[in-house]
Amino acid sequence: MKKVSLVLCLLLAGSLLLGNLSLGLINVAAKTESLSNTPLSGFVGVDVLGIDLRYDVGLLYLGAATPFLMFTLSEDTGVKSSLIIPGIAWYGYIGLKLDFGVFYFKGDIGHTFAFGEQLQLGFSPLRLGFGMNFSPSYYIELSVDTVLQKFNETVGKIFDFKIGYRF
């Protein structure tokens, strides 16, 4: 058991030396009627704040994000905020990043899933965007997202913004 633990620790330390681990705050805004086929009267949009953990190795990156706060905007009720328990819903993704000095282009595909029966997730977003490095540690990103299962209804209606720190 000690040998297995030692090998796992060495693999983790080696992979962290080859790549970058980053933590960020992500904001996803969507202007849509409904992503879960629920008819909502006067529904205008949704805005979700979350925490994003990502690991970059060369051109490849993979990560996971979990929301903690959601705002909905409706003509009927106005702005309404909802606290989400972090870790109850997840978005896992894998993608490629092309560096051009301070700027970079990125694209990824992922899948959403949730724990609990009340949450209706299970869609696969495709994100294309660009980012800017402010220093070796700080960066910002802006992406246009679409849901593959509802491509025509969501293309150009979902955006995300991320600010992060690389360790």
Side-chain angles (χ1 to χ4, degrees), residues 5 17 72 136 145 147:
S5 298
L17 289 174
T72 55
D145 310 354
V147 176

Side-chain angles (χ1 to χ4, degrees), residues 34-157:
S34 174
L35 290 176
S36 62
N37 294 326
T38 305
L40 299 169
S41 171
F43 186 66
V44 177
V46 65
D47 189 71
V48 179
L49 288 173
I51 299 170
D52 190 320
L53 181 66
R54 184 166 73 196
Y55 179 69
D56 299 340
V57 178
L59 296 175
L60 182 69
Y61 64 89
L62 55 105
T66 184
F68 63 87
L69 190 60
M70 180 172 70
F71 299 95
T72 55
L73 177 62
S74 171
E75 294 172 349
D76 299 336
T77 60
V79 176
K80 188 176 177 183
S81 65
S82 305
L83 202 57
I84 301 171
I85 300 169
I88 199 165
W90 288 93
Y91 170 59
Y93 58 91
I94 187 167
L96 295 172
K97 181 172 78 167
L98 299 172
D99 286 320
F100 296 101
V102 174
F103 296 97
Y104 57 90
F105 292 101
K106 68 180 204 74
D108 60 54
I109 188 165
H111 191 71
T112 60
F113 57 95
F115 300 104
E117 297 174 11
Q118 72 276 12
L119 297 174
Q120 295 182 4
L121 294 178
F123 52 91
S124 299
L126 173 68
R127 302 188 304 176
L128 298 172
F130 66 95
M132 181 178 164
N133 296 313
F134 283 109
S135 71
S137 298
Y138 294 99
Y139 65 94
I140 60 169
E141 295 177 350
L142 180 64
S143 299
V144 177
D145 310 354
T146 187
V147 176
L148 294 178
Q149 289 86 348
K150 297 185 177 194
F151 188 81
N152 291 334
E153 292 90 8
T154 60
V155 68
K157 294 183 179 180

